[in-house]
Amino acid sequence: MRVFIIDTSNMAPELEGGLLGVEGSSNPTAAEKQQCVETVSTYVMDGWAIAADPHTAIGWLAALIAETACVPFVNLTRLVRAEPALQSASV
C-alpha cells in the first residue's frame, strides 16, 4: 500500500486537516488491508479527507473508513486529466 500526503492548506475549508491519498495492489493481503485500516483511521480521526479509487479493494476500504468517520472522500476515478486542445499553427 502506498500513502500520499497532500498539503491542502490553501484549499477548501473541508480539506483543512489535509488530504491522504491511498493506493494499493489489486489483490491485497490481509496485512495490507490491516495497514490500510490502521493508517487511514489515524488520519480520519484528525479530520483528514481521503482520496482513493473505490474500484480497488484498498480504495474501497479507504472509502468505507472515510464514510464511517464522516470525512470528505475524493473519488479518484472521477478526476479525469484534461488533454490540452491542439491548435494548428498559422504561418
Side-chain angles (χ1 to χ4, degrees):
M1 182 181 84
R2 285 182 246 152
V3 175
F4 305 93
I5 301 206
I6 302 160
D7 178 17
T8 59
S9 58
N10 295 324
M11 294 185 183
E14 58 269 10
L15 300 177
E16 282 181 8
L19 181 63
L20 182 74
V22 180
E23 180 182 59
S25 66
S26 58
N27 191 17
T29 64
E32 188 176 19
K33 290 177 185 176
Q34 181 169 348
Q35 180 187 21
C36 176
V37 170
E38 290 172 358
T39 302
V40 173
S41 296
T42 299
Y43 283 91
V44 298
M45 294 302 289
D46 290 332
W48 284 56
I50 305 299
D53 176 358
H55 294 100
T56 66
I58 290 296
W60 178 82
L61 188 55
L64 184 61
I65 296 166
E67 181 180 354
T68 302
C70 299
V71 297
F73 177 75
V74 179
N75 182 342
L76 294 180
T77 58
R78 293 186 180 214
L79 301 178
V80 179
R81 173 179 263 170
E83 295 294 327
L86 295 176
Q87 298 179 358
S88 59
S90 300
V91 182

